[in-house]
Each structure stands twice: as C-alpha cells, then as structure tokens.
Amino acid sequence: AQGLAVGVVVIAIGLYLLLDNLGVHMPFLRYHNWWAAFILIGAIGPIMQAMGRYRASGRFDGMVARHALTALVIVSVALMFLLDLSWNIWWPIFIIYGGCWMLLKPPPSYEDE
C-alpha cells in the first residue's frame, strides 16, 4: 500500500511537469506554498497504522485514536502552510493535540514496556 501511494505521487509529479511543458498551468501549483502538500505524505503511515489496528481489533481503541491523532497533527501542519494560517494564533492547537494523545490509553501490552 505504501509503494502504491509513492507511485501515485511520482506519477502526479510527472503529469504536472508534462502538462506544464505543454502550456497547461495548474493554478494550485503556482501557489507559493504548494510544496507543503508533500508534508501530507507523512500522514499516510499513521493513517495506515490506524486502519490496520482497527481491522485487527475490530474496534476504535486508544491505539487507533493515537495513530489517527498523529495523522491529524501532520495534516494540520500542512494546512497551516497551505492556507497561510498564522502560527501566532494557531500554535495552541498542538498543545491540545498533545493533551488528547496523553489521554488516549494504550492497550495493556504497550503499558508493560
């Protein structure tokens, strides 16, 4: 699944470059912070872990929530750049994320370590 995601990204980059060479300009990629979209790639791992854990356990437990929250943090960082949001205003949301992560109890097998 991870190889598939990387392959799709590489194909998308190639298509963008080809279209740009053919005179078809993508307005989104002319945006000054378009590079921040690559940060979203970092969210793929935690999302895949959350989905795998959910499928294995059959329920939305603390570990599924921790993986999902980790992905949400990564997506939030990317959105901060993509939407030009002010870090001076929005930085406390990362403290909230940290508190939520601490409240999510891992399963007993993780607590013994």
Side-chain angles (χ1 to χ4, degrees), residues 27-92:
F28 173 77
L29 295 178
R30 297 287 178 211
Y31 184 65
H32 72 281
N33 284 346
W34 66 268
W35 52 267
F38 287 110
I39 295 171
L40 295 173
I41 295 169
I44 294 171
I47 290 169
M48 298 301 288
Q49 289 175 321
M51 289 172 40
R53 171 77 183 182
Y54 179 76
R55 287 184 186 136
S57 68
R59 59 190 174 92
F60 192 87
D61 62 10
M63 287 307 292
V64 174
R66 280 181 169 205
H67 292 307
L69 188 61
T70 300
L72 182 60
V73 169
I74 295 167
V75 169
S76 296
V77 170
L79 289 176
M80 295 283 292
F81 286 112
L82 290 170
L83 301 176
D84 278 331
L85 299 176
S86 171
W87 288 91
N88 291 333
I89 294 172
W90 292 98
W91 68 267

Side-chain angles (χ1 to χ4, degrees), residues 90-102:
W90 292 98
W91 68 267
I93 198 165
F94 296 100
I95 293 174
I96 295 168
Y97 285 150
C100 291
W101 198 86
M102 286 186 258

Side-chain angles (χ1 to χ4, degrees), residues 8-25:
V8 169
V9 169
V10 170
I11 291 169
I13 291 169
L15 284 172
Y16 162 72
L17 294 170
L18 177 62
L19 290 172
D20 193 56
N21 287 345
L22 294 172
V24 179
H25 302 292

